[in-house]
Amino acid sequence: MAASALFVLDLKGRVLLSRDYRGDVNPKQAERFITKLNELEESGKVTPVILDEGVSYIYVQYSNLYLLAVAKNNINAGAILLFLHKLKEIFTHYFQELEEESLRDNFVIAYELLDEVMDFGYPQFTEPKILSEYIKTDAHKMEVAVKPPMAVTNAVSWRSEGIKYKKNEVFLDVVESVNLLVNSNGTVVRSEVVGALKMRTFLSGMPECKLGLNDKVLFEAQGRGGKSKAVDLEDMKFHQCVRLARFDNDRTISFIPPDGAFDLMTYRLSQNVKPLIWVECLVERHSRSRTEYMVKARSQFKERSSATNVEILLPLPPDAITPNVRASQGAAVYAPEKEAMVWKIKNFPGGKEFLLRCKFGLPSVEAEEEAKGRMPPIRVKFEIPYFTVSGIQVRYLKVIEKSGYQALPWVRYITTGGEYEIRMA
């Protein structure tokens, strides 16, 4: 599980920073890594984990640097990759920009951080806010000794003690992103919903939060599976603050939240999703060099909801000339850099249908035939506030703190278009 050493290299393989945690690898392993990486790049088989002669090389490239972890034992590659990304966040938090020059200017701080974030090859503290409380960039100017905050020495490493707010509030956004791929014949090839519970907390002290959802597993365990609408969530991933043992026991999401913004939970649903905004495109060729698109956009959600900031990208052939467009709603603009007509509708109520006609010319019929059959799909972006595809509901959000203050919880729902694509006929 443990990493043997960490290296920060430039693109030529020169070592800028190195920290040997276990003493079981040779410093020249960094040179071996660059040689092996160049070989894999030439063969087109580059992977984030390289195994060579019993040594594992796990790396992340960022800007003009490689963050490299080397290990001789059987290592958890996923955990170390996550750690390297966290290390990148820490360096960026301290130096604003993570690049060769910023590391050279801050060698002392960088080595202090390497000592704190990993111990004997095991990841330790990776919360930038907590680290910055006792590893300060201007520490040499301070006359008093800096004490490590309690967060480093207790079980809650993501929150400091002594936080105070005049107004205690919790904001919870339930954000669902719809990924959809529709074939040219109208059949749905892929559909899934990726959701996230995004929180912003402004709470004093060390509050305990409890969150309840309309979880299908919980409702069935309580014997009310058929009475209430419940959601069967898949691939649930939680922030480290959530007590997983408590969740496994009674499906209660119980946690001491970090201060500020964080993702409490992510989930996925692979159910068949009805396309929320359906787009049809009929192509008519009036002459050998003139083509017309007749586009119909229809909202397939309930009338009480409205989609906002709708953007429909209609691909045009790269050599399309003099496009002329008329839309029954919103505005359409030709974007040659995207090789598309961008149709924007600010407000798209449920159960409505809007039309667009687009005429354009092509320099030759050969160009039109070449374009036919290899046009990219229509892409749709949108936001539907106060609406979720899955039907997930926050049943309660309680905040308990020993001082007994009352906190105001605010919950908002929103559905957005993710990878939402409709292939053209």
Side-chain angles (χ1 to χ4, degrees), residues 350-387:
K352 294 287 184 181
E353 185 175 283
F354 299 126
L355 303 174
L356 176 140
R357 283 176 175 266
C358 174
K359 295 180 182 178
F360 57 90
L362 289 166
S364 66
V365 71
E366 287 83 5
E368 186 175 354
E369 290 302 318
E370 282 178 23
K372 186 180 177 183
R374 58 179 178 86
M375 293 293 287
I378 298 168
R379 291 182 171 85
V380 186
K381 297 178 183 176
F382 58 86
E383 292 180 359
I384 308 176
Y386 318 112
F387 176 85

Side-chain angles (χ1 to χ4, degrees), residues 215 236 238 242-254 265:
D215 185 6
M236 298 169 76
F238 294 101
V242 176
R243 294 186 176 88
L244 296 179
R246 175 81 186 271
F247 180 78
D248 288 339
N249 185 39
D250 61 7
R251 306 294 283 190
T252 299
I253 302 172
S254 174
M265 177 183 115

